[in-house]
Amino acid sequence: MAKIAYILLCHKDPEAIVLQAERLTAAGDYISIHFDASAPLADFRAIRDALQDNPNVTFARPRQRCGWGEWSLVQATLQAVRAAVETFPRATHFYMLSGDCMPIKSAEYAHRFLDEHDADFIESVDFFDSDWIKTGMKDDRLIYRHFFNERKNKRLFYASVALQRRLRLKRAIPADLHIQIGSQWWCLRRRTIEWILDFIRQRRDVMRFFRTTWIPDETFFQTLVRHLVPETEIQSRSLTFLMFSDYGMPVTFYNDHYDLLLSQDYLFARKISPEANELKARLGRLYAAHDVEFRVSNEGQSLYKFLTGRGRIGRRFGMRFWESESTLGRKRELMIVVSKKWHVARRLLGQIRQATNLPVIEYLFNEVDTALPDLGGIQSTLEKRTRHRRALIRMLFDYYETDRLIVCMDPGNLDLMQDFASDRSVTRFLEVDCQFSDAYLAGHARRIGLAGEQTAPATLERLLPTIRNDLIYETDRMRDAGFEHHVRLSETATDEDNAAALSDFLSIPGDQALSLAQTERLFAD
C-alpha cells in the first residue's frame, strides 16, 4: 500500500502548519517540513516544539532563505527530500505541498489512487516548443546566468542580463538534457527520487547550470524526471488542483468551494484562503474519512473561465485595416438565423433550403468543421473566418453566384452581427426564440464543459440559474442592438405569427412561409 512522504515548503502561519502535519500523519503518512529561514525563528520553534514527539515528522536541515524565482526554492526542496528519504524508509511516494494546500480527497482514496497508478505525476512539457510561458523572458532564463532576484533587485537583475547580452556571454545548456517546464507541485515515486539524488551527486555540471537559471523550480525536477524515467511511466500532470486568473495570479478558494473542489480529478488543491476556516475543517475531516465515494466531474477550469468571463463583453478579434471599409455589396442580402439551439436552426435551414433553393451555411463562425468550399485557406480556422469575416462572406456570395445568402450564428456572436448590420448591404435577422428546460440546460452545461457526467445534482441545480440568465442576457443584448431588419420566430407563437416572420425574413409568399412554420417537431430537443 502507498505510503506518502509529503514535502512541505512553508514560511508562515505556524498553527496551520502544525494542524496540517497532524492531519496528514494521522492517516499513517509522513511529512518533511522546510520552514523558510527568512521567517521568524520563534515561528519555527513553535512548529518544532509542537511536532517533536511525532515520529512521522522530520525537518529539513539546514534551512534556506528562500526567494521567489531563485535556486533557493529547489535547494530547500532537496533538503526536505533528503530528510524524508533518510527518515522514512517505508515511504513509497514523495508529494510536494505548500502551506496553502489542502487535501480534497480522503487518505484512503489517495492511497488507492497511487496504488493503481504506477507512475510519476509531474507536469513537464518542452521548454522551447510549448507555450507554457505566457509572458516575460523565456530563453533568457537558461542561456544567461542570474545572480539577482528580479523582485528584490529589479534594476540589478535586468542590468546583469543586459550586460551579458552585450558581451555575448550566452552559455550552453548541458548537451544531454532536454529542458522541460511545468508546475512545481509533483508526486514522484521513491525510485525516481533516489535516481534524482544519485544523478545530482554525479553531475555537478548540471547543478552548476540550474543554480543560476531563473525560476528553476519550474524546470529542475521536470527536466531530470524526463531525463531519468521512461516516458511511459510519466503522467504529465499535477495531482494538485490550482487555477490562475487572467492576471497570472493563483485563484484562492473559500468556504463555498467545497463541492467544487471535491469533484475535481485531483488529490489536493491550492491555494486555500487562510480565512476559510470552515472549508479547512471540512477538508480535514474528509481526509480522515473512510468509504467516501467521490463523483469526479472535473469541470473546475471551464466553470471558472465561464463565470469570470461573464460581463467582459468586447470584440474578440479586431478587423484588419484593409477590411474596415470593405463591403459585401449594396445589392446583396445577408440573412442571419440566430439560435442558441443549433439543432433547431439546422432543422429550419434544411426546410428553407428545400423550399427556396437559397444557399445555406450553418454555424461557420462557431464550428470549425462546418461544410465550406475551398476559398484559398481563409476558411481553414475559426480565427481566420472571424478575423476576415467580411472577406469570407463576400467570397461565399461570389462562390455561389448569388445575391442572397443565409448563414447561422449563435446569439453570443453579437459583435459579428453588429459588423454585418453596419455594412452597405441589406442584413436581415431571424431570431429563433426557444424555451430552455432544466434538462436542456443541464445537457448544455455538459456539452460545453461546465459540468461532467458525475457532477452532483445539487451542484448542477445551483449552476442552472446562472446559465439560464446568461442565455437571456445574450438574447437581450441582441434585441437591444436595435437591428433594422429583425424578426422573431418563437416556440410559443402561433403558426400564423411565425409564418409572418418567415415571410418577412425570406421575402416569400405567406402560404410557403406557413408550410415552413408548420414543420413537424421544429422546436423539439
Side-chain angles (χ1 to χ4, degrees), residues 202-219:
Q202 299 170 19
R203 294 292 301 273
R204 297 300 179 186
D205 60 319
V206 172
M207 296 296 281
R208 284 193 299 271
F209 172 78
F210 277 108
R211 278 195 183 99
T212 50
T213 59
W214 181 233
I215 320 184
D217 54 300
E218 294 179 351
T219 55

Side-chain angles (χ1 to χ4, degrees), residues 89-133:
R90 296 180 60 197
T92 61
H93 294 78
F94 296 76
Y95 195 123
M96 269 286 294
L97 290 177
S98 76
D100 296 323
C101 294
M102 285 288 292
I104 56 174
K105 298 290 187 295
S106 64
E108 183 180 71
Y109 180 99
H111 294 150
R112 184 170 63 248
F113 179 91
L114 294 176
D115 285 337
E116 294 172 354
H117 298 82
D118 185 19
D120 295 308
F121 290 85
I122 180 167
E123 183 184 23
S124 53
V125 297
D126 187 276
F127 182 92
F128 298 100
D129 294 338
S130 71
D131 63 347
W132 201 89
I133 298 174

Side-chain angles (χ1 to χ4, degrees), residues 83-366:
V85 169
E86 294 171 5
T87 310
F88 310 125
R90 296 180 60 197
T92 61
H93 294 78
F94 296 76
Y95 195 123
M96 269 286 294
L97 290 177
S98 76
D100 296 323
C101 294
M102 285 288 292
I104 56 174
K105 298 290 187 295
S106 64
E108 183 180 71
Y109 180 99
H111 294 150
R112 184 170 63 248
F113 179 91
L114 294 176
D115 285 337
E116 294 172 354
H117 298 82
D118 185 19
D120 295 308
F121 290 85
I122 180 167
E123 183 184 23
S124 53
V125 297
D126 187 276
F127 182 92
F128 298 100
D129 294 338
S130 71
D131 63 347
W132 201 89
I133 298 174
K134 303 298 184 185
T135 60
M137 62 172 58
K138 186 172 182 179
D139 295 15
D140 290 358
R141 290 191 186 191
L142 306 176
I143 62 176
Y144 297 118
R145 296 170 177 84
H146 300 276
F147 305 102
F148 305 99
N149 186 293
E150 192 266 349
R151 292 189 174 182
K152 295 178 182 177
N153 301 290
K154 190 178 293 287
R155 180 177 298 179
L156 289 174
F157 179 89
Y158 288 106
S160 171
V161 174
L163 179 62
Q164 292 179 72
R165 286 176 182 159
R166 189 160 54 249
L167 298 178
R168 299 181 180 179
L169 296 178
K170 288 184 181 180
R171 62 172 175 174
I173 296 170
D176 58 332
L177 292 187
H178 185 186
I179 304 298
Q180 304 287 304
I181 191 167
S183 168
Q184 71 180 104
W185 311 109
W186 41 255
C187 178
L188 303 177
R189 296 167 297 174
R190 186 181 191 92
R191 183 189 67 178
T192 302
I193 288 291
E194 291 173 345
W195 283 352
I196 290 173
L197 294 178
D198 288 341
F199 180 84
I200 62 179
R201 278 193 291 267
Q202 299 170 19
R203 294 292 301 273
R204 297 300 179 186
D205 60 319
V206 172
M207 296 296 281
R208 284 193 299 271
F209 172 78
F210 277 108
R211 278 195 183 99
T212 50
T213 59
W214 181 233
I215 320 184
D217 54 300
E218 294 179 351
T219 55
F220 180 78
F221 288 98
Q222 295 78 359
T223 300
L224 295 195
V225 170
R226 285 282 178 187
H227 183 72
L228 298 169
V229 179
E231 185 175 358
T232 54
E233 297 181 24
I234 301 172
Q235 292 204 24
S236 183
R237 56 163 294 200
S238 172
L239 293 179
T240 299
F241 178 60
L242 69 162
M243 297 188 296
F244 290 90
S245 70
D246 292 346
Y247 306 101
M249 300 301 292
V251 173
T252 300
F253 299 108
Y254 297 93
N255 290 333
D256 56 352
H257 286 124
Y258 180 80
D259 291 328
L260 170 71
L261 293 176
L262 264 59
S263 66
Q264 306 313 305
D265 189 18
Y266 297 86
L267 303 183
F268 280 75
R270 79 176 300 263
K271 352 180 5 171
I272 307 298
S273 170
E275 289 78 32
N277 294 320
E278 179 185 344
L279 175 62
K280 289 189 286 187
R282 295 180 72 184
L283 292 176
R285 292 193 296 270
L286 174 71
Y287 191 71
H290 295 279
D291 300 323
V292 180
E293 292 187 10
F294 295 91
R295 299 171 63 91
V296 176
S297 52
N298 218 33
E299 76 282 6
Q301 296 280 357
S302 56
L303 183 59
Y304 175 78
K305 183 178 180 181
F306 167 72
L307 292 175
T308 56
R310 296 176 71 244
R312 299 180 187 174
I313 305 301
R315 299 178 70 92
R316 186 177 179 192
F317 300 107
M319 287 186 295
R320 300 300 202 210
F321 69 89
W322 62 80
E323 292 186 310
S324 60
E325 295 301 324
S326 64
T327 180
L328 305 183
R330 290 185 182 277
K331 296 182 179 180
R332 286 174 166 169
E333 283 189 30
L334 177 63
M335 293 176 283
I336 302 175
V337 176
V338 183
S339 177
K340 197 66 181 181
K341 290 189 175 181
W342 294 4
H343 59 282
V344 174
R346 289 191 176 101
R347 196 175 295 142
L348 176 62
L349 288 183
Q351 298 299 314
I352 290 175
R353 185 186 289 113
Q354 292 180 16
T356 65
N357 205 31
L358 288 171
V360 169
I361 309 292
E362 294 181 359
Y363 287 87
L364 73 168
F365 295 110
N366 303 100

Side-chain angles (χ1 to χ4, degrees), residues 13-15 17-18 22 35 40-52 59:
D13 203 352
E15 292 182 0
I17 298 304
V18 171
E22 291 175 341
F35 194 76
L41 180 60
D43 287 351
F44 173 66
R45 287 175 175 169
I47 297 171
R48 186 189 58 191
D49 293 346
L51 298 173
Q52 63 182 350
F59 293 90

Side-chain angles (χ1 to χ4, degrees), residues 51-100:
L51 298 173
Q52 63 182 350
D53 295 330
N54 189 329
N56 287 9
V57 177
T58 190
F59 293 90
R61 296 181 179 84
R63 294 187 298 137
Q64 305 293 318
R65 292 184 179 274
C66 297
W68 186 90
E70 293 181 3
W71 169 254
S72 55
L73 283 174
V74 177
Q75 188 65 32
T77 305
L78 288 173
Q79 298 287 53
V81 166
R82 290 188 181 102
V85 169
E86 294 171 5
T87 310
F88 310 125
R90 296 180 60 197
T92 61
H93 294 78
F94 296 76
Y95 195 123
M96 269 286 294
L97 290 177
S98 76
D100 296 323

Side-chain angles (χ1 to χ4, degrees), residues 475-516:
T475 301
D476 287 344
R477 289 179 65 225
M478 178 185 173
R479 295 174 184 174
D480 292 342
F483 296 129
E484 183 178 357
H485 305 287
H486 179 184
V487 294
R488 189 181 309 165
L489 190 74
S490 177
E491 185 172 0
T492 59
T494 64
D495 289 343
E496 289 71 20
D497 288 340
N498 284 338
L502 286 167
S503 177
D504 187 359
F505 177 68
L506 297 169
S507 301
I508 58 176
D511 57 342
Q512 192 177 15
L514 182 60
S515 178
L516 290 173

